[in-house]
Amino acid sequence: MHEAASHVQRPRVKGRSLFIGERKFFVRGVTYGPFPPDENGDHLPPPARVEADFRQMRGCGVNTIRIYWLPPAWLLDLALAHGIWVMVGIPWPQHICFLDQWEVKEDIRGTVRDAVRSTRCHPAVFCWLIGNEIPSHVVRWHGARKMERFLKSLYGIVKREDPEALCSYANYPSTEYLRLKFLDFLCFNVYLHQEEAFRPYLKRLQNVAEELPLVLSEFGMDSMRHGEEAVAELYDWQLRTAFELGVSGTVVFAWTDEWFTGGQLIQDWAFGVVDAARKPKKALESLARVYNSPLPMLPAEPPLISVVVCAYNAQPTMEACLASFLRVAYPRFEVIVVDDGSRDQTGAIADRHAGLRPDIFRVIHQPNRGLSVARNVGLEAASGEITTYTDSDCYVDPDWLTYMAWAFTDERFAAVGGPNLPPPEDNRIAACVAVSPGAPTHVLLTDDIAEHIPGCNMAFRTEILKSVGGFDATYRAAGDDVDACWRIMDQGHIIGFSAAMYVWHHRRNTIKAYLNQQKGYGRAEALLTPKHPERFNTLGNSRWGGRIYGDISGRTLTMRPVIYHGVFGTGLFQTLYEPPASLAAHLPLSFEWITLAAALVVLGPALPWLALAGSAMLAASLAWSVNRAAFAKLPPAYDDWLARFIIVLLTLSQPVLRGWTRYTTLMSLAGTYARSGRGAAAPAQAGVAPELRGMPEVSVLRKLRDLPDQLIHFLSFHRFFWNNRGVERETLLDMLMATLQGLNCRPRIDTGFAASGKPPWDMEVRPGLWSKVQMRLTVENHGGDKRFVRLAGSVLPTGPALAVLALGLLLMAWAMSRELTVAAWGLQAALAAFTLWVVRDSIRGARLVSFVVQHMNLRAGTPAPGPDGA
């Protein structure tokens, strides 16, 4: 059947949304099954029952089902006939430490390949889910990076076999830290039953998703324990909240109370919106009210919003910008175009749109007076209680104003901003510019509070913006948005952020245009510095209290993200924290650093040592640039070595031009500011987000100090045994601690934080003065009471031991260079003795591990070879 339906357009991703053709698509989903297997092994009811279920679903607005097994062709044909999309979950053994076994990894890859091939690219398949909630202890055991690489390999298999289908992975809060930006969209299973917890977590997930659509792939409540009224109320507010905050879809768990898992039909849970006999519950009414409504829904009293578009010689993009407002779904808005003395056809294009749709567009023509003045003119002409700004080189999402109206229902916010995304149709240079430094972006203090919102996507309560005097006319081309945000904050107001209200913003499509833009930003920084001196660091860069969205300048060279696992990896919400950028992160890509390095190289003929230092500094700048280029996410069409090379060049040239312009502008204005007395304003908002308190320090020195732990795992271990008594990980951890204490070892418990890329550990003991043993433990569930216990870790020299060895080597080298033969031999003997001491302590550590494993095996295990062998 599906060959005849090959014309069916499957969903695709564009920005933070899903589309079918040119129409935005929202997943209105339910989970379906698993059911007890039939005679063919399919986990499905008979076809007649499935068809009746599909008819009932469509009547309730459901357009998608999520299944957890491979569907037979007849199910996909029925789904296609009823207009239902299928999210197919590929089952494979996720509950074991599969990355430790080569043959298991290959079996999983083969399973995924065969699963996708079996459907022959059926048009009813909306997406493939390459996994579902891999247990957090398994992810922690292998490490985040290994898991990300493996999931990426599964994603590649799916895309090779079915290129038109979308692909995702159903994550959950316990492994939120996984970076899965290679997916087509982000899926999360979230079971939070209190709105005060659900709403902020959803805002967090929107930021975790960054530029990907977000789908809630599972959520629900058991009506057997909570009652049908409570479940209906939960679905009513959860579904509304989810679409209000901009998710691309929801999948309610589940359609029916029938649920077959672990080889048996579950009788003591009832998550369905219909019961096993398909009798509707009250929850189905709540689901149908939302799913049968236009999405996203509007606030009860949508405010009038005035959109101001300031334009100067914007002919190439003006038509697309204004045309995008004709597709806006919001009912109450006006567009005020301020033509700031354009010399091309910008004004004529705006006048034509105003003539065709005077109910939407108004045009104001004025002599060229600069961006800030144009924005103030638009502010004075605005009729709405909300005044929002976008640029003439932007075009807006159809639901931009709807999500903006929802954001302003939070009375805390005096202003709200959102993301600006590079359009996929831009050229190679624009794609490179989008991931190069200096792009207009937002700075977040929390998941919904911003320190800065860019001028291409910023909205204000009209009266508040007027009360601070609007925009400062000093800033003719850039910087006015930064100044306005800081002045609003200085008066005690809060700036909000909504990840859902995005616009498409064309980046500069030539290198010359990009460099001119950065020169303009340099001039703006020079104007901002005297007015807000406390908000700039010693290099003249803005000192942000929050995190700059998309800043990857020092991701691997100066900073290492920190994962919060919780003690023993038991945290329900395990999060990846990006440390605030330090001065060291910006130093090698600063104007001052590069200028000094170049000067030292120039002095090379006279002072070779200075030339060597300058060359080292330039090498560091190049390394920072290459690092940025390596981590930049590019559209597939431009993801090649040429684009990465262009990013390196832009990254190196941007700080030079921007810094040079900043300094020259400051020098030319120094006398003016001194005479006028213009100076500092209110103190900057400083500090780090509260959830970062208690994190281990992350700096260049910390990274160097951690280097031995990564390089000198010279005595690692991995022991395992079977446990047929159903003893779980928590009990075994208690047993491990008691065993160590019985040996007069005081175990140190992990803090719950672990640097990204570094293996976490549960306990650390010191068997001697010069060595330490780090251990981590996990337990695989193989059904019933059968468990497989793994204990792994390393025996390492302590920091003082490494320091003594390094000092001894330096002293010995010094003695030999001075031909102090006796001293050199004496130091060599001392070093040999000390090395033996370290080795002795390490051997004691290895014996300690062997004793611990044997003791725990006797108490909780069943001697038998594990899947890794004897």
Side-chain angles (χ1 to χ4, degrees):
M1 178 176 178
H2 68 270
E3 287 82 359
S6 59
H7 64 280
V8 174
Q9 286 186 301
R10 297 165 84 175
R12 62 185 177 89
V13 170
K14 184 180 178 183
R16 298 187 61 105
S17 302
L18 298 169
F19 283 81
I20 297 179
E22 297 303 316
R23 177 175 53 87
K24 192 176 283 191
F25 172 68
F26 290 93
V27 174
R28 299 166 165 95
V30 293
T31 65
Y32 194 56
F35 301 95
D38 61 15
E39 63 276 7
N40 297 320
D42 294 328
H43 291 267
L44 283 169
R49 167 64 81 181
V50 173
E51 187 165 17
D53 284 341
F54 285 177
R55 282 197 299 269
Q56 191 176 10
M57 289 178 190
R58 293 301 288 146
C60 300
V62 172
N63 65 9
T64 306
I65 60 169
R66 177 185 173 187
I67 59 177
Y68 301 85
W69 72 100
L70 299 184
W74 64 263
L75 173 75
L76 296 176
D77 290 342
L78 278 177
L80 185 65
H82 286 83
I84 290 178
W85 297 99
V86 183
M87 301 175 69
V88 183
I90 305 175
W92 49 270
Q94 303 174 145
H95 61 284
I96 64 173
C97 299
F98 49 87
L99 294 185
D100 285 342
Q101 304 169 65
W102 177 86
E103 65 278 9
V104 175
K105 287 191 294 183
E106 290 306 306
D107 284 347
I108 293 170
R109 293 189 176 104
T111 296
V112 172
R113 186 180 301 108
D114 294 343
V116 181
R117 286 179 181 175
S118 69
T119 63
R120 300 179 183 178
C121 303
H122 198 291
V125 175
F126 157 46
C127 74
W128 294 93
L129 297 179
I130 53 175
N132 178 66
E133 295 189 7
I134 297 175
S136 59
H137 69 91
V138 173
V139 177
R140 182 173 179 266
W141 176 266
H142 293 306
R145 290 182 183 175
K146 286 185 178 179
M147 193 61 65
E148 291 159 2
R149 286 196 294 267
F150 182 73
L151 291 175
K152 188 173 184 178
S153 73
L154 300 185
Y155 171 85
I157 292 171
V158 171
K159 301 305 279 189
R160 284 192 294 272
E161 298 295 333
D162 190 359
E164 292 186 8
L166 301 180
C167 183
S168 188
Y169 164 76
N171 206 353
Y172 72 132
S174 297
T175 55
E176 177 200 303
Y177 53 85
L178 287 175
R179 283 175 160 163
L180 305 173
K181 300 303 182 284
F182 53 84
L183 297 172
D184 294 317
F185 63 96
L186 205 64
C187 281
F188 257 84
N189 304 337
V190 180
Y191 289 86
L192 292 172
H193 296 163
Q194 289 78 38
E195 187 170 4
E196 58 271 20
F198 182 81
R199 180 178 290 271
Y201 191 64
L202 209 53
K203 292 179 180 179
R204 175 169 186 80
L205 290 183
Q206 285 283 39
N207 290 321
V208 170
E210 294 187 358
E211 297 180 0
L212 298 180
L214 172 66
V215 172
L216 295 187
S217 45
E218 266 187 31
F219 63 99
M221 180 186 276
D222 174 22
S223 62
M224 189 175 292
R225 289 168 177 78
H226 298 277
E228 288 193 22
E229 290 284 353
V231 177
E233 182 181 348
L234 175 89
Y235 285 151
D236 186 69
W237 66 258
Q238 277 199 340
L239 288 167
R240 293 177 185 277
T241 299
F243 289 111
E244 166 197 330
L245 294 178
V247 303
S248 292
T250 57
V251 181
V252 169
F253 185 90
W255 171 248
T256 171
D257 286 343
E258 283 185 274
W259 186 27
F260 184 86
T261 186
Q264 58 185 345
L265 193 63
I266 304 301
Q267 302 287 349
D268 59 344
W269 278 2
F271 275 83
V273 293
V274 300
D275 64 17
R278 303 323 193 250
K279 179 182 177 182
K281 299 182 185 179
K282 293 181 179 179
L284 189 62
E285 299 177 14
S286 299
L287 178 146
R289 273 196 301 270
V290 176
Y291 278 2
N292 280 320
S293 301
L295 297 177
M297 295 168 288
L298 290 167
E301 299 180 2
L304 174 63
I305 299 178
S306 297
V307 182
V308 178
V309 180
C310 302
Y312 174 71
N313 291 346
Q315 179 180 335
T317 58
M318 198 67 193
E319 178 66 39
C321 173
L322 299 184
S324 68
F325 288 100
L326 302 177
R327 298 187 291 271
V328 167
Y330 191 74
R332 302 186 65 214
F333 74 101
E334 62 177 358
V335 179
I336 302 166
V337 181
V338 183
D339 174 23
D340 192 34
S342 299
R343 298 188 301 273
D344 59 7
Q345 294 299 306
T346 298
I349 295 171
D351 288 337
R352 178 164 51 82
H353 278 271
L356 294 173
R357 293 296 304 271
D359 56 320
I360 295 179
F361 297 103
R362 279 193 288 156
V363 183
I364 300 173
H365 298 280
Q366 66 176 30
N368 181 250
R369 300 165 64 190
L371 179 59
S372 296
V373 172
R375 283 177 170 165
N376 286 335
V377 168
L379 175 64
E380 291 302 319
S383 306
E385 56 192 277
I386 306 297
T387 300
T388 184
Y389 295 86
T390 191
D391 290 345
S392 55
D393 57 354
C394 296
Y395 61 94
V396 303
D397 175 71
D399 299 313
W400 179 50
L401 297 181
T402 300
Y403 292 127
M404 185 184 299
W406 276 115
F408 275 107
T409 59
D410 191 328
E411 297 181 356
R412 297 177 299 162
F413 298 149
V416 174
N420 64 101
L421 309 179
E425 62 268 18
D426 278 350
N427 63 16
R428 178 186 296 274
I429 297 298
C432 295
V433 166
V435 294
S436 296
T441 190
H442 45 273
V443 182
L444 298 184
L445 293 169
T446 68
D447 291 312
D448 64 347
I449 296 178
E451 184 178 5
H452 169 252
I453 48 179
C456 58
N457 189 7
M458 59 181 181
F460 303 87
R461 297 191 191 273
T462 304
E463 291 305 316
I464 291 180
L465 183 57
K466 288 181 177 180
S467 72
V468 300
F471 296 92
D472 189 336
T474 303
Y475 309 98
R476 289 185 56 86
D480 57 330
D481 51 351
V482 179
D483 173 68
C485 288
W486 284 346
R487 285 189 286 117
I488 285 174
M489 291 171 62
D490 289 343
Q491 292 200 7
H493 298 296
I494 296 176
I495 299 173
F497 177 77
S498 170
M501 51 172 277
Y502 67 88
V503 300
W504 298 98
H505 186 199
H506 291 285
R507 303 307 197 246
R508 301 299 190 265
N509 57 12
T510 67
I511 293 177
K512 180 180 179 181
Y514 168 73
L515 297 179
N516 285 336
Q517 179 193 46
Q518 298 308 309
K519 289 165 67 176
Y521 289 161
R523 282 190 288 271
E525 286 177 339
L527 296 172
L528 285 164
T529 302
K531 189 174 182 180
H532 307 278
E534 68 289 335
R535 295 186 185 272
F536 289 84
N537 62 27
T538 55
L539 299 180
N541 295 314
S542 304
R543 181 187 287 122
W544 300 109
R547 177 174 174 246
I548 301 175
Y549 175 84
D551 183 11
I552 58 173
S553 56
R555 176 172 292 173
T556 61
L557 295 177
T558 60
M559 299 182 297
R560 186 161 52 197
V562 176
I563 301 172
Y564 175 72
H565 290 287
V567 177
F568 297 142
T570 57
L572 295 178
F573 295 84
Q574 300 189 21
T575 302
L576 180 70
Y577 292 107
E578 293 279 0
S582 63
L583 183 63
H586 294 288
L587 195 60
L589 289 179
S590 66
F591 170 76
E592 295 79 3
W593 177 282
I594 296 174
T595 303
L596 177 60
L600 293 178
V601 171
V602 170
L603 294 173
L607 300 168
W609 285 104
L610 291 181
L612 183 61
S615 299
M617 293 172 67
L618 289 177
S621 299
L622 180 61
W624 254 246
S625 302
V626 171
N627 173 66
R628 184 181 188 102
F631 277 94
K633 183 178 180 180
L634 290 163
Y638 305 123
D639 192 358
D640 54 26
W641 68 267
L642 177 58
R644 305 282 173 183
F645 179 70
I646 293 172
I647 296 168
V648 171
L649 294 181
L650 295 180
T651 303
L652 284 171
S653 58
Q654 184 262 357
V656 175
L657 273 178
R658 190 163 173 167
W660 174 262
T661 308
R662 181 174 67 245
Y663 276 110
T664 55
T665 305
L666 278 172
M667 286 187 290
S668 66
L669 294 176
T672 304
Y673 279 114
R675 288 191 298 272
S676 65
R678 293 176 65 181
Q685 181 169 341
V688 180
E691 63 266 24
L692 299 184
R693 294 172 187 169
M695 286 173 48
E697 61 169 311
V698 181
S699 63
V700 177
L701 293 178
R702 173 62 181 262
K703 193 171 184 68
L704 291 174
R705 191 164 66 244
D706 287 346
L707 189 60
D709 285 359
Q710 301 175 37
L711 299 178
I712 314 180
H713 281 238
F714 65 91
L715 194 57
S716 61
F717 56 87
H718 184 178
R719 305 288 187 267
F720 39 81
F721 57 87
W722 284 102
N723 153 25
N724 292 336
R725 303 173 189 174
V727 181
E728 300 294 354
R729 181 170 180 267
E730 293 76 12
T731 304
L732 286 167
L733 283 168
D734 290 339
M735 190 183 300
L736 175 60
M737 186 179 300
T739 301
L740 293 171
Q741 290 173 341
L743 296 171
N744 293 322
C745 295
R746 294 184 178 180
R748 185 163 70 96
I749 309 302
D750 79 309
T751 62
F753 290 98
S756 176
K758 184 178 179 182
W761 48 269
D762 295 318
M763 298 181 196
E764 179 183 281
V765 294
R766 298 288 179 92
L769 185 61
W770 306 112
S771 72
K772 60 184 178 182
V773 181
Q774 293 180 341
M775 294 175 277
R776 67 186 192 277
L777 182 145
T778 195
V779 177
E780 299 174 1
N781 188 330
H782 287 259
D785 290 334
K786 195 173 183 179
R787 305 290 184 268
F788 189 66
V789 183
R790 294 177 182 266
L791 182 72
S794 300
V795 181
L796 303 168
T798 61
L802 294 174
V804 170
L805 287 170
L807 179 61
L809 288 171
L810 288 174
L811 289 173
M812 188 171 67
W814 174 82
M816 292 176 67
S817 67
R818 295 301 182 93
E819 298 183 356
L820 302 175
T821 308
V822 176
W825 279 103
L827 286 168
Q828 187 174 349
L831 273 177
F834 182 76
T835 302
L836 289 174
W837 194 354
V838 174
V839 170
R840 188 202 67 168
D841 281 357
S842 299
I843 293 173
R844 291 178 62 186
R847 289 175 176 172
L848 173 67
V849 170
S850 298
F851 178 83
V852 166
V853 172
Q854 183 180 11
H855 182 71
M856 293 179 65
N857 196 354
L858 290 172
R859 292 187 58 189
T862 301
D868 289 350

